[in-house]
Amino acid sequence: MARSAVIALAAGLGLAMTGGARADEDVWPSLQRDVFDSRPMTENEGIIQIDAPERAEDAAVVPITVRLSPSFKEPVKSMTLVIDKNPAPVAATFTFGPAAGTVGGERRMSTRVRVDSYSYVHAVVETADGKLHVAKKFVKASGGCSAPAPKDADAETAELGKTLVKSYAPAVDTTPLREGQIMIKHPNRSGMQIDMETRGYIPARFVKDIEVKSGDDLVFRAETGISIASNPNFRFTYANAGDKPLTVTAVDSDETKFSGQSAKEPVSQ
């Protein structure tokens, strides 16, 4: 099964009615088969670290950070974030370009996700040589995919797609990596939320593709889905190549396009 198909698995289908995997069921072997074609993976090498709350305060907005050890020098081709028990388990797949940066510090990607039931979160990193490395973290949370949608629909529509892009100035100019951040105003509806007036399911609508460039060079492309929280937010490291602006283009599942660019002067940390 293609990753994009797994990402969109639950969109618009009202899968809240079908239930999910049993709490004690290990679904990772089937996900590894379907998403990664059963390719071998190396685990627990100290390469990947996942920062996530053991018990989430809000299952609809769970902060996740994936870190790559500074000692890991290999170029990274892609990273896939999987929330095993979610109706659409693949939260995002990031494909990195030449402006992503390779050496000289800790590479990071942070976002906020929905977690529908107690679940492992897996981060799978593919290096340029085709090898897969994986780490996992257990998160206690439930109901994140069906949590109520924002109440102010008019304000939501008026600001839909508003995109804020920030490039943060490094503490030292010669630092190989710097940080960027993307914030997109979008409900990222899951298709599992209830309209309190009609009692029907609100149709899914979510940001599905994001492209980030530093100047003319690609930082990453991302395929994203309903497991990303409302108002998608990504903070990441990338190659420090002076003050080239970050530009972002995004497309949602209704094929609406959004864009944004960082200010000429980088933001202080």
Side-chain angles (χ1 to χ4, degrees):
M1 182 182 297
R3 291 182 188 179
S4 58
V6 179
I7 288 173
L9 185 62
L13 298 181
L15 291 186
M17 297 182 292
T18 68
R22 296 192 314 271
D24 61 346
E25 183 180 357
D26 182 6
V27 299
W28 178 245
S30 62
L31 289 171
Q32 186 176 354
R33 179 191 67 234
D34 293 341
V35 182
F36 302 99
D37 298 324
S38 298
R39 293 166 61 191
M41 298 182 181
T42 306
E43 189 176 357
N44 298 327
E45 305 166 284
I47 290 175
I48 308 169
Q49 177 183 329
I50 303 174
D51 294 341
E54 181 178 347
R55 184 180 295 276
E57 293 183 6
D58 185 344
V61 189
V62 181
I64 300 283
T65 298
V66 179
R67 304 175 183 271
L68 297 184
S69 171
S71 62
F72 184 59
K73 308 295 186 182
E74 296 295 325
V76 173
K77 179 180 178 181
S78 68
M79 182 182 74
T80 303
L81 186 63
V82 181
I83 306 169
D84 293 14
K85 297 291 184 69
N86 272 14
V90 179
T93 296
F94 303 90
T95 302
F96 298 102
T102 56
V103 297
E106 180 185 74
R107 289 170 280 177
R108 297 184 298 279
M109 176 66 72
S110 298
T111 189
R112 306 179 305 189
V113 300
R114 297 178 169 122
V115 178
D116 207 49
S117 62
Y118 285 24
S119 178
Y120 276 107
V121 175
H122 281 85
V124 179
V125 169
E126 181 177 8
T127 49
D129 58 7
K131 294 180 180 178
L132 298 181
H133 307 264
V134 62
K136 64 184 179 182
K137 178 73 179 285
F138 192 73
V139 177
K140 296 178 181 178
S142 60
C145 292
S146 56
K151 296 180 180 179
D152 192 346
D154 291 337
E156 175 186 286
T157 302
E159 295 190 325
L160 181 73
K162 181 179 179 181
T163 302
L164 181 62
V165 185
K166 294 183 178 181
S167 174
Y168 294 95
V172 180
D173 289 342
T174 56
T175 301
L177 297 173
R178 65 194 303 164
E179 283 192 299
Q181 187 173 18
I182 305 164
M183 293 163 277
I184 303 174
K185 189 73 174 179
H186 199 287
N188 243 43
R189 299 191 192 102
S190 67
M192 298 174 60
Q193 296 151 318
I194 298 292
D195 185 317
M196 300 308 294
E197 294 184 0
T198 67
R199 306 303 298 173
Y201 287 101
I202 301 171
R205 185 178 183 181
F206 54 93
V207 176
K208 66 174 186 174
D209 293 298
I210 302 171
E211 182 181 79
V212 182
K213 288 187 173 182
S214 172
D216 295 327
D217 298 321
L218 180 68
V219 179
F220 65 82
R221 291 189 180 93
E223 291 182 79
T224 58
I226 65 168
S227 291
I228 297 296
S230 295
N231 301 320
N233 188 320
F234 300 90
R235 185 156 176 161
F236 51 91
T237 55
Y238 68 104
N240 182 19
D243 292 335
K244 293 180 181 179
L246 280 179
T247 57
V248 175
T249 56
V251 182
D252 74 5
S253 55
D254 280 11
E255 301 301 330
T256 304
K257 297 182 179 180
F258 317 110
S259 62
Q261 186 176 73
S262 63
K264 292 182 179 179
E265 295 296 326
V267 180
S268 298
Q269 293 277 17

